[in-house]
């Protein structure tokens, strides 16, 4: 939207923010503005294609060609698939981070499997959030961390050990470990070997020297797994709580969903509580997201687990991050006659 000059100014500003060669991008944008409207429309597709072959982020391409609205839907689809296939992030290819620039809507990526998607996403520099990371870090994580820390210190107390079943980029794990001061052992597992390798490399040598951990006995470890069986390093160890924070919505396959739920609530579950962050809404797959009625699975396969509490996300997080009205923290307790093994 806006005049050509307005768009040129916005794109030049974006180029500077992202640390690109601002002068060259500004010149390219200005050149487009000086062309007649018909020429801009005719050149838009070619320039967008050239941009996608040389730039990592859709944001550049979206701003540079300036005419997102003139690109045919099938071209938008093809360009986004091409961008994603090159190992770039879903956000970069599908305009979640496009800010004030024109946005491509209605793009659906062909994703082979849950694991393939997350491996590509992390390899491409992406993180665990489907939204702008700054918004999530400043918005959702502090509120969710606060509620979990209160649960650990009160309703579920004492909580000294946590198994994070889908630890992702580790940002939430780090925040929770720092604020829930009773935690002594935090283990995270994930399908992505790339992100686990990165997390392992980032672990401090001495936690007592880290801010928020002074004077605390604390250990943290990360392991890759396939979603169908726990890592060897985790088997046989008990935990007070197992966490599943926005993991279920990112499982695409029926078999993987059943296996994941079986690990959380089945006979191998060596923990007293499970805390899930999910919305419990069945929804067909769209890109890397699928909705599941996980409560129906529990009724059929783990009916003896008791729902202790449910905290609607909107009730404790005032930041409007996404339109998922049923999004909640669900707190389950294992049967009293079947303690952790």
């Amino acid at each position: 939207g806006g005049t050509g000059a307005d768009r040129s100014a916005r794109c030049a500003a974006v180029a500077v923010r992202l640390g690109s060669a601002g002068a060259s991008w500004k010149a390219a944008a200005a050149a487009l503005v000086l062309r007649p409207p018909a020429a801009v429309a005719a050149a838009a597709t070619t320039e967008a294609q050239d941009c996608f072959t040389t730039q990592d982020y859709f944001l550049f391409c979206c701003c540079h060609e300036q005419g997102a609205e003139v690109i045919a839907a099938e071209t938008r689809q093809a360009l986004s698939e091409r961008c994603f296939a090159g190992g770039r992030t879903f956000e970069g290819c599908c305009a979640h981070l496009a800010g004030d620039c024109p946005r491509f809507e209605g793009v659906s990526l062909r994703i082979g499997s849950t694991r393939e998607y997350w491996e590509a996403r992390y390899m491409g520099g992406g993180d665990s959030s489907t939204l702008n990371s700054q918004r999530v870090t400043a918005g959702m994580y502090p509120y969710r961390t606060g509620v979990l820390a209160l649960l650990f210190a009160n309703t579920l107390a004492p909580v000294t050990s946590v198994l994070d079943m889908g630890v992702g980029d580790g940002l939430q794990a780090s925040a929770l470990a720092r604020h829930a001061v009773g935690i002594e052992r935090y283990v995270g597992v994930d399908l992505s070997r790339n992100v686990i390798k990165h997390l392992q490399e980032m672990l401090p040598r001495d936690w007592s020297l880290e801010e928020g951990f002074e004077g605390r006995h604390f250990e943290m470890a990360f392991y890759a797994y396939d979603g169908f069986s726990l890592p060897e390093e985790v088997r046989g160890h008990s935990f007070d709580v197992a966490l599943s924070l926005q993991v279920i919505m990112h499982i695409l396959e029926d078999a993987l969903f059943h296996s994941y739920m079986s690990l959380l609530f089945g006979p191998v579950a060596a923990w007293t509580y499970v805390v899930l962050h999910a919305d419990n809404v069945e929804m067909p797959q769209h890109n890397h997201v699928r909705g599941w009625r996980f409560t129906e699975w529990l009724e059929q396969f783990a009916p003896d687990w008791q729902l202790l509490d449910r905290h609607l996300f909107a009730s404790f997080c005032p930041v409007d991050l996404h339109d998922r009205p049923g999004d909640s923290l669900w707190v389950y307790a294992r049967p009293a006659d079947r303690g952790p093994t």
Side-chain angles (χ1 to χ4, degrees), residues 262-275:
S262 296
L263 291 178
L264 276 178
F265 294 99
V268 301
W271 35 87
T272 307
Y273 303 103
V274 173
V275 180

Side-chain angles (χ1 to χ4, degrees), residues 178 181 206-218:
R178 180 171 284 105
V181 295
D206 187 349
W207 280 100
S208 66
L209 301 179
E210 299 295 312
E211 182 181 357
F213 295 91
E214 302 90 339
R216 288 176 57 185
H217 170 72
F218 180 76

Side-chain angles (χ1 to χ4, degrees), residues 235-249:
R235 292 176 214 157
H237 295 274
S238 62
F239 297 85
D240 296 317
V241 175
L243 293 178
S244 174
L245 304 179
Q246 291 186 308
V247 175
I248 293 174
M249 64 185 287

Side-chain angles (χ1 to χ4, degrees), residues 219-293:
E219 57 186 54
M220 178 177 266
F222 301 105
Y223 304 105
Y225 83 129
D226 60 5
F228 292 89
S229 60
L230 292 173
E232 184 178 350
E233 298 87 348
V234 175
R235 292 176 214 157
H237 295 274
S238 62
F239 297 85
D240 296 317
V241 175
L243 293 178
S244 174
L245 304 179
Q246 291 186 308
V247 175
I248 293 174
M249 64 185 287
H250 294 123
I251 296 176
L252 304 180
E253 302 88 352
D254 291 354
L256 183 57
F257 170 74
H258 179 77
S259 174
Y260 180 79
M261 293 294 291
S262 296
L263 291 178
L264 276 178
F265 294 99
V268 301
W271 35 87
T272 307
Y273 303 103
V274 173
V275 180
L276 297 97
H277 183 178
D279 60 2
N280 198 39
V281 174
E282 188 168 354
M283 181 181 69
Q285 177 185 343
H286 178 67
N287 294 319
H288 66 303
V289 174
R290 180 176 174 181
W292 300 91
R293 287 276 296 177

Side-chain angles (χ1 to χ4, degrees), residues 53-184:
T53 62
T54 58
Q55 298 297 323
D56 281 343
Y57 285 97
F58 176 93
L59 189 54
F60 277 124
C61 309
C62 176
C63 289
H64 175 54
E65 52 86 8
Q66 293 191 50
E69 67 280 357
V70 306
I71 305 279
E74 58 269 20
T75 304
R76 299 202 300 268
Q77 174 76 29
L79 291 176
S80 292
E81 289 182 0
R82 181 174 164 188
C83 178
F84 180 71
R88 293 156 182 152
T89 68
F90 180 88
E91 289 86 353
C93 300
C94 290
H96 286 304
L97 305 183
D100 293 332
C101 295
R103 298 179 60 180
F104 284 178
E105 302 290 350
V107 171
S108 297
L109 298 178
R110 295 186 180 94
I111 295 172
S113 71
T114 302
R115 171 181 278 183
E116 289 173 1
Y117 171 78
W118 288 101
E119 290 287 21
R121 178 160 164 160
Y122 290 127
M123 285 181 66
D127 55 30
S128 296
S129 169
T130 56
L131 298 165
N132 181 295
S133 298
Q134 184 176 0
R135 287 176 63 209
V136 172
T137 303
M140 179 177 71
Y141 284 175
Y143 290 99
R144 188 166 69 185
T145 298
V147 173
L148 289 171
L150 286 172
L151 283 171
F152 290 179
N154 295 283
T155 308
L156 311 184
V159 172
T160 61
S161 56
V162 174
L163 176 62
D164 193 333
M165 295 276 286
V167 68
D169 58 22
L171 289 177
Q172 178 65 90
S174 176
L176 184 55
R178 180 171 284 105
H179 289 89
V181 295
I183 297 176
E184 299 177 358

Side-chain angles (χ1 to χ4, degrees), residues 1-24:
T3 66
D6 292 337
R7 290 196 298 269
S8 178
R10 288 202 303 270
C11 292
V14 169
V16 172
R17 286 204 309 272
L18 295 180
S20 69
S24 62

